[in-house]
Amino acid sequence: MLFHSPIAKSRPPQPWLIYLSIRTTAVTEQVRWYHCRPRRARNHTMFVSKLPPKPDFEVLAAAAPASADRRTFVLALIGNLICSWSNNESLFIYVLMILLRTDEASAAVVFATLNTTRARLDLIQRLAKIRVTDKALAKSLTALIERFSESTKVRNELNHCMFIFDSSGAITHTQSMRLMETKASLRFGEIKALDESRLQEMVRTIHEMTKINREIWDLLPRLEAHVHGVKPQSVPRDAA
């Protein structure tokens, strides 16, 4: 507890601490009061910033033109991959529209309300189990979803990461923004080299997503005809 010592009024009262010690004997209980000034805390620890060093932007800007061609190529691949993936995902709105037996606007509302790709694909797969009785058609839809999910892994790596540049301005690595959790450890930000093999993986993924896009368009009229019990009609290529 705190109280003020009755000392001279010429200086402001100083806080004192009271320590109460109770000693019990066989005969009496004695209460002893101790007065002492509180010790001032001493902190000799030096503050050391944990921030990384600020990049030398002038040096980077001067060196950047030398790596411009490769950097433009890498960024073009990333943009192409993300654009292709987004267009493929949007086609599942029509799959959802067919399985729900509704209109495009209503399907889009359901699609947008489910705010993760995984939730949207789960809904489509569950609806397919009760709507699609043609085993070959169901197998084709499942295969497309699985292939799209594989391409999603590559897209997520590049859409949710930090890009690491070297002193010449070239993109050399990516650092994931996800937590990597195992039974024994927890790490943040897996770092992967953006080398030639990884660039080739991006190229293959873009080609795969182009094929997936075409195959979804081919599947849609078959799926619609099956769900509504009518003969499938071909969709004009112009409509794609």
Side-chain angles (χ1 to χ4, degrees):
M1 84 180 56
L2 295 176
F3 80 102
H4 296 288
S5 174
I7 58 178
K9 295 183 179 180
S10 58
R11 1 176 235 176
Q14 300 294 319
W16 295 55
L17 291 181
I18 301 177
Y19 294 93
L20 175 61
S21 173
I22 301 179
R23 185 176 64 185
T24 303
T25 65
V27 180
T28 62
E29 289 187 348
Q30 298 179 354
V31 178
R32 298 178 5 180
W33 296 82
Y34 299 90
H35 297 67
C36 67
R37 293 182 181 273
R39 293 183 179 178
R40 294 182 179 179
R42 295 181 180 179
N43 185 5
H44 297 291
T45 304
M46 293 181 63
F47 173 76
V48 179
S49 175
K50 296 180 181 179
L51 292 173
K54 180 181 177 180
D56 191 333
F57 293 111
E58 292 184 0
V59 172
L60 287 174
S67 60
D69 289 344
R70 180 176 176 81
R71 188 169 56 254
T72 299
F73 174 67
V74 171
L75 294 176
L77 280 180
I78 294 171
N80 196 338
L81 191 150
I82 292 173
C83 180
S84 299
W85 181 90
S86 296
N87 282 349
N88 281 355
E89 187 191 34
S90 68
L91 285 181
F92 285 106
I93 292 176
Y94 298 111
V95 176
L96 197 57
M97 177 187 73
I98 293 168
L99 295 176
L100 289 173
R101 297 176 181 174
T102 187
D103 56 90
E104 181 179 345
S106 299
V109 168
V110 174
F111 186 87
T113 301
L114 298 171
N115 59 5
T116 66
T117 301
R118 183 69 265 162
R120 295 161 183 166
L121 296 180
D122 284 346
L123 177 60
I124 288 172
Q125 289 179 302
R126 289 166 183 171
L127 287 170
K129 288 181 180 180
I130 61 175
R131 291 275 192 261
V132 182
T133 56
D134 184 320
K135 292 184 178 180
L137 185 59
K139 186 176 180 180
S140 296
L141 178 59
T142 298
L144 280 172
I145 290 175
E146 289 176 351
R147 288 165 59 195
F148 176 74
S149 296
E150 284 300 313
S151 69
T152 298
K153 294 177 183 178
V154 180
R155 176 261 184 186
N156 286 347
E157 281 186 0
L158 296 164
N159 203 46
H160 303 292
C161 73
M162 294 184 292
F163 295 93
I164 301 173
F165 296 78
D166 65 11
S167 59
S168 68
I171 304 173
T172 60
H173 295 77
T174 61
Q175 181 171 6
S176 171
M177 300 299 290
R178 297 180 59 187
L179 290 173
M180 307 295 294
E181 186 172 2
T182 65
K183 292 182 179 179
S185 66
L186 182 65
R187 295 185 295 112
F188 170 76
E190 179 185 13
I191 297 177
K192 294 179 66 174
L194 197 60
D195 52 16
E196 193 62 32
S197 64
R198 194 154 177 225
L199 294 180
Q200 289 303 314
E201 179 190 20
M202 292 165 62
V203 171
R204 289 192 297 271
T205 303
I206 292 170
H207 289 163
E208 171 67 359
M209 285 194 289
T210 300
K211 292 173 60 179
I212 291 172
N213 187 277
R214 304 292 187 269
E215 291 178 32
I216 293 176
W217 276 112
D218 290 338
L219 181 73
L220 287 173
R222 293 170 53 205
L223 183 63
E224 183 180 46
H226 173 75
V227 170
H228 291 278
V230 297
K231 185 177 179 180
Q233 298 179 352
S234 60
V235 177
R237 283 294 176 185
D238 292 344

